[in-house]
Amino acid sequence: MFRRLLSLVLSCTILCTMLCTVFCVLQPSSVQAKGRAAQAEPAEPATFLIRNQSHRDLVAIRISDGTTASFARLDLGPGGEDELENPGGTAEVRLDLGLVLNTWEGVQLNGLQSLTLCSSHENCLIVTGKDGKPVHRQGESKSLLPAKDADPVCSITGLKAGMTMQDACGLMQNYYTMEEDVYLATLGFANIAWSARLYANTEKGEDLENAVLENVELRQKLSPSNLKAVQEALDRLGYTAWQATFPGMELTFSDMTNYTLETRNEILHVCLNTFLRQGRGIGSIMFAPADLIDTLANEDLQSMNIQLFTLSLHRDSDTLILDISAYSTEDMAQ
C-alpha cells in the first residue's frame, strides 16, 4: 500500500514538473508574439480638436515650425469644431477668420488636446494641453480689409478666371500667403472693398506664377447695403438669379418658364427676406448671364463656356461671400 502511494506521489511530481517546464518554454514565445503584433500595428497619429467659439467664420488654419508648414481648409461657423492631425513640436498657428488674419507664435503642440477660439475676447486662443488646463493666449491680428483712408484697391473687373497667377498678382499691391496656391488680398467690387482669396489650379504641375487662377472668393460683412450693392452690380453686368438655396427651400429659376423675370425676382426677394429675418443658417444664390437662363434649363453646364457668381449669406457670423468661378468645355474635358 505504501509503495503504491509513493509511486503515485512520484508520478504526480514528475507530471507537474513536465507541465511547468512546458509552460515556462511557451510563455516567453507568447510574450514575444504579442510584442511582435504590437510592433506590427502602426501607432495612431496624435490629433487635437479645434473649436470655433467666436462670432466669426473660421476659414482655414496654417501651422508652421519655420521649416515645414501644414494647411487645412475648415469652414467652421460659430460653434463648429473639427479634429486635426497634430504635427507636434512648437509652431506658429495662423487662423484665417474671413475678415481678419490672426497669428500666435510659439504654441506648444506636444500633448495638445484642443485649440479654441475664445467667445469673449478678440484675438484670443485657448490652448488646452495634456494636463487639461486651458491657457488663454493673445495673438496678433491683421485686418484683411483696408483702412478707411487707404488708397483704392484693385477691382475684380481686372481678374478673370483662367488668367495666370503671375498676371493676377501683378494687379495686387499686397497679399498674404496661407498656402502655396492660396493668396489673401483686398479687392474691390460693387464699390466695396472685400477680403479676397485667390485659388490657383496647380494640378497640371506648373509653377505658381504660370498656374491658372481657378476661382476668386470675396468676403465682407453681411448688411442690407452690401447685399443691395452686390445685386445691383451683378444686374449691371447682365447677370440674374439662376438657382437659390435656403434652409428648407430650393429654387431653380431657369425652370420657371411661365414666370416673367420680374416675378422671379419677386419670389427671390420674399424668400431672401424671410431667411434674413430668421437669423440662423446659410443661404446661397447662384447668378448666371441673363441671356443664358433659358439655355441653362435645357442644356448641360459642361457643354458651355460660362462664368458664374455665387452669393452665400452666413447668418451665424453675418458674413457675405461672393464666389467667382469659370466653367468651360475645355476645362471639363480635362
Side-chain angles (χ1 to χ4, degrees):
M1 178 71 179
F2 177 76
R3 289 180 180 178
R4 286 200 299 271
L5 180 61
L6 179 62
S7 175
L8 180 62
V9 170
L10 289 174
S11 298
C12 291
T13 302
I14 295 171
L15 178 60
C16 290
T17 302
M18 291 175 63
L19 289 174
C20 289
T21 303
V22 171
F23 177 77
C24 292
V25 170
L26 291 178
Q27 189 177 24
S29 299
S30 177
V31 172
Q32 291 174 3
K34 290 181 180 178
R36 286 194 297 269
Q39 292 176 2
E41 295 178 1
E44 290 291 330
T47 61
F48 68 91
L49 280 179
I50 183 161
R51 300 186 177 98
N52 182 16
Q53 298 299 331
S54 74
H55 61 281
R56 303 178 185 273
D57 286 336
L58 175 51
V59 181
I61 182 174
R62 183 179 187 270
I63 299 175
S64 173
D65 61 5
T67 303
T68 59
S70 57
F71 172 82
R73 177 79 187 227
L74 299 173
D75 290 316
L76 295 178
E81 66 177 40
D82 201 353
E83 186 175 12
L84 299 176
E85 188 170 338
N86 189 345
T90 302
E92 172 195 86
V93 175
R94 177 179 291 180
L95 298 182
D96 177 0
L97 301 179
L99 303 181
V100 297
L101 193 63
N102 284 2
T103 303
W104 289 265
E105 300 286 352
V107 177
Q108 178 58 250
L109 301 179
N110 292 333
L112 180 68
Q113 291 187 16
S114 65
L115 296 176
T116 304
L117 275 170
C118 184
S119 60
S120 304
H121 307 96
E122 293 289 336
N123 315 330
C124 177
L125 188 66
I126 304 174
V127 182
T128 304
K130 55 185 175 183
D131 58 2
K133 296 181 179 179
V135 177
H136 291 246
R137 293 280 307 273
Q138 199 71 18
E140 294 184 1
S141 181
K142 295 179 180 178
S143 174
L144 295 175
L145 297 175
K148 293 182 179 180
D149 57 349
D151 294 333
V153 297
C154 168
S155 170
I156 66 165
T157 55
L159 296 175
K160 299 293 182 183
M163 70 191 307
T164 66
M165 292 301 291
Q166 182 179 26
D167 292 337
C169 294
L171 298 173
M172 301 183 299
Q173 295 180 351
N174 300 301
Y175 56 86
Y176 303 100
T177 303
M178 278 295 287
E179 183 66 350
E180 63 178 10
D181 54 355
V182 182
Y183 283 167
L184 277 63
T186 303
L187 296 175
F189 179 69
N191 293 321
I192 303 171
W194 301 71
S195 164
R197 279 144 197 81
L198 285 73
Y199 295 90
N201 185 350
T202 56
E203 293 181 356
K204 298 178 182 178
E206 301 98 339
D207 55 51
L208 186 59
E209 289 186 347
N210 294 318
V212 170
L213 175 63
E214 189 167 40
N215 75 293
V216 180
E217 178 186 287
L218 306 179
R219 287 178 177 256
Q220 247 293 356
K221 295 178 180 178
L222 176 57
S223 67
S225 59
N226 284 346
L227 182 56
K228 180 181 178 182
V230 172
Q231 290 178 297
E232 290 178 348
L234 291 174
D235 183 64
R236 288 193 297 270
L237 291 174
Y239 279 73
T240 190
W242 172 27
Q243 297 174 337
T245 302
F246 303 105
M249 294 183 286
E250 292 188 4
L251 305 170
T252 302
F253 296 100
S254 60
D255 291 340
M256 300 181 185
T257 55
N258 296 330
Y259 296 134
T260 64
L261 179 60
E262 290 74 16
T263 303
R264 297 175 192 175
N265 288 337
E266 183 179 348
I267 293 172
L268 176 61
H269 179 75
V270 171
C271 294
L272 180 59
N273 286 343
T274 302
F275 163 72
L276 292 175
R277 284 197 300 268
Q278 300 310 305
R280 296 300 303 272
I282 298 175
S284 67
I285 311 168
M286 184 177 289
F287 292 85
D291 58 353
L292 293 178
I293 288 294
D294 292 336
T295 305
L296 289 170
N298 304 305
E299 191 169 344
D300 190 348
L301 180 64
Q302 296 187 15
S303 65
M304 304 177 66
N305 297 322
I306 185 174
Q307 180 161 286
L308 302 177
F309 291 83
T310 303
L311 191 61
S312 299
L313 305 93
H314 292 211
R315 286 294 284 118
D316 292 331
S317 61
D318 277 334
T319 302
L320 188 64
I321 304 173
L322 183 63
D323 188 272
I324 309 166
S325 300
Y327 298 86
S328 68
T329 305
E330 181 182 358
D331 292 336
M332 294 296 181
Q334 295 171 352

